[in-house]
Amino acid sequence: MEETKSRFKRICVFCGSSSGKKASYQEAAVELGKELVERRIDLVYGGGSVGLMGLVSQAVHDGGRHVLGVIPRTLMPREITGETVGEVRAVSDMHQRKAEMARQADAFIALPGGYGTLEELLEVITWAQLGIHHKPVGLLNVDGYYNSLLSFIDKAVDEGFVSPTARRIIVSAPTAEQLVRQLEEYVPECDEITSKLVWDEVDRIGYVPESGVAT
């Protein structure tokens, strides 16, 4: 496989600990993993070995790229079965998990998933809106899985609850190749009313990295 140079060193992938009912969801997870390998991008994710998490991490690991899984200790019996791949970093709780994944990543991609995936996705979108980071955020909209979410956000724009600038934070595409290409081309827009927060502020409000974690 011919490798393509990327401006991203590592991408954070949010996805389900379930595989979903459609084979296309599972295939998309594997294809995303292969796309990261082709572009020489490492993976940070939620650390599980089951569902779509297991598929994307295995694909990246099999392709020779580094895999960093960040998982709360309390979830390890539930989300890790059998052998894990790559590096597993255990943290105290969900807040540390999300903050560490976000810190390690240069961009974010959400595969299909449930409440946890949505919560992680919306938080990094909100952080982008507030100016905490300027990293691209992408939705891998497999078989239109996220069409209803995107329609809801468009409705929020129409009703004045989300600004057009904030709406453009979200990049979506139906395939991994298209999505990563669009994320590579993404240029963040400055919103005059957003707060100029920094990662140190996120640390101050509750995230304390464990020893050995780069900041």
Side-chain angles (χ1 to χ4, degrees):
M1 179 182 294
E2 183 179 351
E3 291 186 336
T4 303
K5 180 64 175 177
S6 171
R7 71 184 179 102
F8 305 128
K9 179 181 179 182
R10 182 184 286 136
I11 287 180
C12 175
V13 175
F14 304 129
C15 57
S17 56
S18 299
S19 296
K21 292 185 177 181
K22 291 185 178 180
S24 57
Y25 301 146
Q26 299 155 42
E27 292 163 0
V30 174
E31 286 305 310
L32 176 57
K34 291 179 178 178
E35 185 67 23
L36 297 184
V37 170
E38 183 175 347
R39 292 177 178 269
R40 293 183 284 177
I41 301 171
D42 295 333
L43 170 70
V44 59
Y45 78 117
S49 61
V50 295
L52 299 189
M53 285 198 291
L55 291 172
V56 67
S57 61
Q58 190 67 58
V60 174
H61 184 264
D62 288 348
R65 302 305 306 178
H66 184 261
V67 174
L68 172 61
V70 183
I71 186 168
R73 294 180 182 88
T74 55
L75 287 184
M76 292 178 77
R78 177 177 178 176
E79 294 189 356
I80 296 180
T81 60
E83 293 187 8
T84 59
V85 298
E87 177 186 354
V88 177
R89 185 168 297 169
V91 294
S92 298
D93 54 39
M94 293 294 288
H95 296 293
Q96 283 196 1
R97 179 196 221 179
K98 292 183 294 180
E100 181 62 12
M101 289 194 299
R103 182 189 301 284
Q104 293 288 339
D106 300 313
F108 306 93
I109 290 176
L111 278 161
Y115 287 145
T117 300
L118 287 173
E119 192 267 344
E120 291 168 329
L121 170 68
L122 292 173
E123 183 162 73
V124 296
I125 291 171
T126 302
W127 286 356
Q129 177 180 269
L130 293 174
I132 295 174
H133 72 80
H134 300 287
K135 302 173 182 181
V137 180
L139 278 179
L140 188 47
N141 193 18
V142 184
D143 284 350
Y145 181 79
Y146 283 114
N147 283 353
S148 296
L149 175 63
L150 293 171
S151 294
F152 165 75
I153 296 171
D154 288 337
K155 177 68 171 177
V157 174
D158 292 341
E159 298 296 334
F161 290 104
V162 173
S163 72
T165 298
R167 171 63 178 87
R168 290 191 289 272
I169 290 170
I170 305 170
V171 177
S172 64
T175 69
E177 181 181 7
Q178 288 177 260
L179 181 59
V180 176
R181 184 174 66 248
Q182 289 177 221
L183 293 176
E184 296 272 10
E185 297 169 353
Y186 174 81
V187 178
E189 298 181 50
C190 293
D191 193 322
E192 294 298 327
I193 64 172
T194 57
S195 302
K196 301 303 179 184
L197 302 179
V198 294
W199 284 109
D200 289 344
E201 182 70 8
V202 178
D203 293 342
R204 189 186 68 76
I205 61 176
Y207 170 61
V208 180
E210 297 190 342
S211 59
V213 177
T215 58

